[in-house]
Amino acid sequence: MNGFHMAYMRVDLRTGESARIPIEAKILERVLGGVGLGSWLLHREAPVGVDPFAPEAPLVFAFSPLVGTGVTTSAKFAVVGKSPLTGGLCDALASSHFAIEGKRLGIDALVFVGECDEPSEWVNGILRPTQNWGRTARETAAALSKEGRVAAIGIAGENRVRYATISAEGRHAGRGGLGAIMGAKRLKAIVVSGDHDTVAAHSEEVERQARRLRDRARGDATAKYSEIGTIGNLLAFDRMGALPTRNFQESHFEGAEALSAERWQSDRKHRRASCADCTIGCEHRYGYKAPGGESKDVRIEYESLFALGPLCGVADPDLVLAAAAKCDALGLDTISAGATLAFAMECGERGELSGGPVFGDDPSEWLSLIATREGLGDFLAEGSRLMAESIGGDALSRAPQVKGLELPGYEPRTLQTMALGLAVGTRGADHNRSGAYEADFSEEANRLHGDARSVALAIESEDRAAVLDALVLCKFVRGAFDDLYDESATLLNAVAGTDADGAEIETIARRIVDLRKAFNIREGWQPEDDTLPARFLTEPIPNGPAKGVTLPRERLDFMIRSYNLGRGWTEVGWLPKEALRRLEVELDLEGLRSSIERSFPEGIIPE
Amino acid sequence: MGRAKAWLPWFGKTMVEHVVGVLQSVVNEVVVVTSADLDLPVLGMDVRIVRDREAERGPLAGLREGFEAASADATFVTGTDAPFLGSAFVEEMFARGGACAPLSDGHVQVLCAVYGPGAAEKAQMLLAAGKSRPRDLLESQGYQAIAAEELVSAPSRAPWEGFNTPEAYLSAIRSVDAKATCVVELLGRAAKQAQKLGAESTREVPVGTLGDLLATWPKKLGLVDEGRVAKRYLASLGGRDLVRDLSIPVGPGERISMIDALAGG
């Protein structure tokens, strides 16, 4: 089969030894690459119940069949591990030349197990002590750039901050704390450079399909991202009462105009850039005054903007942009960092936490304390769920997280299809594995009153995301497909020489969703984990355009039950015995059922 | 209409808030009957909201739900779309004693009427007998039909005058304030495009249909295409409805935001 190297490299960091382990074609055909392959490898390599920080916990870097083909936006890699923030499966993607060079090692994935004796870096098969410990990821990459493409952690990762990122060329595999796993392994950086090209089965057809996708990915299909960028969401969300503000207490921010793309494009220095192998160019960099008065610029996305701005009650653009730059430098997930700060701010207002940040504070000072785990920063570095459990009382009802992962910038009460996506996501509260917000921002669903239609749309959205994340292609090209499954099959067949059709691609999507869920069940998932913090189910929106809007618990519960049944799971969300058996057989995951049986009283898995 | 009548703006309030406010100035108890899946604005703790569980059985079934929830003997019933309902009129109707309804142009105004004691039980009996018209209930209660011209407190526009079309709603607004306006703002790509063309991105314009409002911007902006809001945009009405239908009316004081259709991501 073309497009794959049919093997992964397993690196034991205790010894530095690597082994090339073959992967059967039937497995790759059934999970593809990216998050599909990464999830499969996690099932195989992670001992049941492993502590994410234990040496035995694997950290997977998975490539995909399209990497190296030049197809627009395909230069992405997936990092997969057991999240120290959620205790479940976490997969995070980043775009960079690291993906291209990593695959050129002649493998489809890198799996790191064990723990280095001392801070180290892995450079093209050689494990060696690092001089870069204590440096930022960017500094580390600069120091190692002559030896290949670099993925590295920042100081937050070194200190096992539970929402630390892995950075490559300024892009981050950001969510779920995978950088902390790398830090726990004392692995500062991974450097890759290879010479195995991706040879397509039908190169002319690949070229034709790539050109077609590139052409269609121009104009309206992606223009929002190239012209305005994701920060264009902020003012639109504010107007719809969907902009999370002051730790989700409100959904409308009085300082929204000051933080808007509409304002910044006319009064700030602004330039655009692109990821590797991308023709969209969604990266928008804006100038700001750094604390010392120096003029700098930083890439800013909506998620960073909302989390470090309105969510923390900060309306000063310079403070928000400086905080985003600080997160980049320290290697912190901006969403979790901002949301954890915002939670601490509300706890402070309620007298549940003393000496902490207050709404409107400059986030940057706190970000440094978090990354170094100094003072109260050590507590904040644990993320909002662990903080809330420690604070006690009803703090958990206000902690902005699902399964431990902090919520992205979508107010669930006014985006109720997305509310379902956030509640059931295997990664936790997630806007990348579920793009259910798309239905909310359309005429298709009633965003203020979720119903059966919302459920169907949420499932479709997850399935589509699973395909894009397994191929891997950027979500921003999603609008360029008429039929994602059929066109993905055409692209895959041209690269791999397979003869898949759209229906098979859809089956793969569903399989990947099942596979991730199975991992979480294996690791202790319970039906009550699929919900939203009680705040969203009990408090109406207090002001702004969506004043009075509610998301009653019964409505969310109905949607969750319908979702589970729609997926072919039991009403409360267990994978039935038949689905587990199918995964076990199709993916050669012997022992999957028996490992899951421990989750059930008397070992009985529902039919 | 393309929008829920209850949520249509009416000079600083929604229509349902306006009607509830009028009623609360006269009576102690207000019950709002609404469809099973329509959320309503916050109407206060003293307003009861009940759901029409059998909408398919016609309007009498909905009224029965309201009567069951109400504790008073006499109940004034009105629709949500009653912009000209006034407290003096409601008081006058109650003062007539017993069941009564205005008669206008030969029509009994059953949704601007007082229903007498035992209305819930009688409505149930009528429904069981296959009758679903509110008028059947009024007749069963021996109601008084009051000629419109006899009503001393009716304002220049009749209290039972509702609206079923965008034009009727806009006409009602203009009869109160001929200069009523709303605000339209362009966000995201639309704002950027307007800037390029030298057009402003926010305008206060007279109320009208969405199509009327968007027609005030240069065609070059491409806000409209093939008789609808162009695919690349969506109109957010008052932060609530997301629409592309140009015939939808926009009310006084409302803010319309033209957003990118690819919101999110």
Side-chain angles (χ1 to χ4, degrees), chain B residues 7 21 29 40 88 98 104 158 199 209 232 239 264:
Chain B
W7 281 94
E29 182 185 23
L40 291 173
S104 170
T209 63
R232 73 185 69 138

Side-chain angles (χ1 to χ4, degrees), chain A residues 259-593:
Chain A
L259 297 178
S260 67
E262 288 82 350
R263 174 81 60 87
W264 288 3
Q265 291 216 338
S266 58
D267 71 5
R268 281 184 181 261
K269 245 186 189 171
H270 171 226
R271 67 186 169 99
R272 279 178 57 206
S274 294
C275 294
D277 272 354
C278 174
T279 53
I280 299 173
C282 72
E283 185 172 317
H284 291 256
R285 300 184 69 88
Y286 284 94
Y288 68 99
K289 283 258 181 299
E294 195 184 347
S295 290
K296 294 187 170 180
D297 77 354
V298 63
R299 177 176 72 89
I300 186 85
E301 301 291 345
Y302 167 69
E303 293 299 340
S304 307
L305 180 62
F306 111 89
L308 299 164
L311 201 65
C312 291
V314 180
D316 181 334
D318 285 327
L319 293 185
V320 176
L321 289 165
K326 192 94 175 177
C327 284
D328 276 352
L330 296 168
L332 285 169
D333 171 18
T334 51
I335 299 175
S336 284
T340 300
L341 277 174
F343 174 60
M345 288 166 176
E346 188 180 354
C347 289
E349 276 189 349
R350 292 172 177 270
E352 295 167 338
L353 187 69
S354 58
V358 300
F359 286 116
D361 266 2
D362 177 358
S364 290
E365 295 166 19
W366 289 97
L367 296 171
S368 296
L369 295 175
I370 290 169
T372 54
R373 284 187 173 267
E374 284 176 59
L376 196 59
D378 188 39
F379 189 41
L380 299 180
E382 296 294 279
S384 62
R385 182 172 70 177
L386 288 176
M387 284 172 64
E389 286 171 359
S390 169
I391 289 167
D394 62 352
L396 201 53
S397 70
R398 298 184 302 274
Q401 52 75 40
V402 174
K403 303 183 182 79
L405 189 71
E406 281 72 20
L407 275 92
Y410 299 82
E411 166 56 56
R413 285 164 289 194
T414 56
L415 301 170
Q416 297 194 1
T417 313
M418 188 59 190
L420 172 62
L422 295 171
V424 300
T426 44
R427 194 167 75 154
D430 195 321
H431 67 293
N432 280 323
R433 304 296 167 265
S434 171
Y437 54 78
E438 275 191 286
D440 287 320
F441 297 127
S442 74
E443 295 173 292
E444 284 190 80
N446 182 348
R447 70 184 175 94
L448 303 177
H449 194 114
D451 55 18
R453 176 77 184 133
S454 316
V455 174
L457 293 167
I459 291 174
E460 279 175 30
S461 158
E462 275 190 343
D463 289 349
R464 285 198 305 267
V467 169
L468 289 169
D469 294 341
L471 277 175
V472 179
L473 286 171
C474 177
K475 303 286 181 345
F476 291 174
V477 293
R478 67 191 187 278
F481 290 97
D482 285 332
D483 184 318
L484 175 64
Y485 299 130
D486 280 350
E487 292 169 49
S488 296
T490 304
L491 204 48
L492 178 69
N493 293 341
V495 172
T498 46
D499 60 354
D501 59 19
E504 285 173 73
I505 299 292
E506 190 170 3
T507 300
I508 291 170
R510 293 232 161 189
R511 184 182 294 124
I512 291 170
V513 175
D514 280 2
L515 189 61
R516 288 144 120 177
K517 179 67 177 255
F519 184 85
N520 281 4
I521 293 175
R522 204 192 90 158
E523 298 300 305
W525 172 89
Q526 292 292 313
E528 55 269 27
D529 295 339
D530 282 0
T531 188
L532 292 171
R535 146 166 292 160
F536 298 111
L537 309 176
T538 55
E539 297 175 13
I541 300 284
N543 53 34
K547 182 179 175 184
V549 171
T550 60
L551 171 55
R553 187 180 295 276
E554 340 39 286
R555 189 181 301 161
L556 180 66
D557 288 348
F558 163 78
M559 288 197 288
I560 292 171
R561 285 196 305 274
S562 306
Y563 167 90
N564 288 330
L565 294 171
R567 283 233 165 271
W569 301 345
T570 73
E571 192 171 347
V572 296
W574 299 110
L575 263 72
K577 199 178 277 184
E578 173 54 27
L580 288 170
R581 193 191 64 79
R582 208 166 41 235
L583 283 179
E584 211 169 45
V585 171
E586 289 178 347
L587 300 181
D588 220 359
L589 290 172
E590 197 184 336
L592 178 64
R593 269 187 305 171

Side-chain angles (χ1 to χ4, degrees), chain B residues 237-262:
Chain B
L237 309 189
R240 186 172 173 81
D241 301 304
L242 286 172
V243 302
R244 285 208 170 89
D245 182 348
L246 297 178
S247 72
I248 286 177
V250 176
E254 206 164 12
R255 177 180 280 268
I256 311 307
S257 305
M258 295 300 294
I259 66 168
D260 290 311
L262 268 178

Side-chain angles (χ1 to χ4, degrees), chain B residues 164-233:
Chain B
N164 288 315
T165 63
E167 293 71 28
Y169 167 61
L170 291 168
S171 160
I173 294 167
R174 289 172 184 138
S175 75
V176 174
D177 178 0
K179 293 181 177 171
T181 60
C182 58
V183 172
V184 184
E185 64 174 352
L186 311 181
L187 301 180
R189 291 177 69 199
K192 191 167 179 172
Q193 193 65 17
Q195 197 180 18
K196 275 187 193 164
L197 296 175
E200 66 266 67
S201 58
T202 303
R203 284 180 180 176
E204 188 173 352
V205 293
V207 295
T209 63
L210 182 59
D212 297 336
L213 309 184
L214 298 185
T216 66
W217 263 280
K219 275 191 180 169
K220 265 187 167 179
L221 258 174
L223 296 174
V224 173
D225 187 31
E226 296 180 350
R228 285 170 63 78
V229 169
K231 276 184 185 169
R232 73 185 69 138
Y233 302 121

Side-chain angles (χ1 to χ4, degrees), chain B residues 74-88:
Chain B
T75 308
F76 179 82
V77 170
T78 175
T80 312
D81 52 334
F84 304 108
L85 185 69
S87 55

Side-chain angles (χ1 to χ4, degrees), chain A residues 9-191:
Chain A
M9 187 179 288
R10 188 175 195 275
V11 181
D12 188 337
L13 295 169
R14 281 166 296 200
T15 61
E17 287 173 5
S18 305
R20 192 173 193 280
I21 301 174
I23 310 173
E24 285 184 76
K26 69 173 188 184
I27 300 297
L28 294 167
E29 282 173 2
R30 289 168 183 170
V31 295
L32 305 180
V35 300
L37 176 58
S39 300
W40 180 77
L41 285 167
L42 191 67
H43 267 282
R44 302 233 335 166
E45 292 283 348
V48 175
V50 70
D51 182 327
F53 289 152
E56 298 77 26
L59 186 62
V60 180
F61 290 74
F63 311 115
S64 75
L66 301 190
V67 170
T69 61
V71 172
T72 187
T73 78
S74 65
K76 292 171 88 80
F77 62 99
V79 188
V80 184
K82 181 176 175 182
S83 166
L85 202 54
T86 71
L89 183 145
C90 181
D91 43 35
L93 299 165
S95 303
S96 89
H97 292 91
F98 179 87
I100 298 170
E101 281 305 317
K103 191 174 170 188
R104 278 165 60 87
L105 290 174
I107 49 171
D108 298 308
L110 270 166
V111 179
F112 292 94
V113 296
E115 180 183 304
C116 306
D117 291 337
E118 59 184 323
S120 303
E121 53 206 23
W122 188 84
V123 183
N124 294 316
I126 308 293
L127 187 66
R128 68 190 190 199
T130 183
Q131 304 300 311
N132 293 302
W133 201 255
R135 290 181 174 166
T136 66
R138 187 177 294 275
E139 289 164 349
T140 303
L144 298 171
S145 62
K146 284 184 183 157
E147 297 179 86
R149 299 290 181 171
V150 182
I153 55 171
I155 294 158
E158 293 175 9
N159 290 310
R160 302 186 191 191
V161 175
R162 288 182 188 268
Y163 40 93
T165 67
I166 296 169
S167 171
E169 295 169 5
R171 292 277 174 165
H172 297 263
R175 304 236 64 196
L178 297 169
I181 299 177
M182 207 160 140
K185 295 186 177 308
R186 285 186 260 188
L187 182 61
K188 178 70 182 179
I190 300 161
V191 186

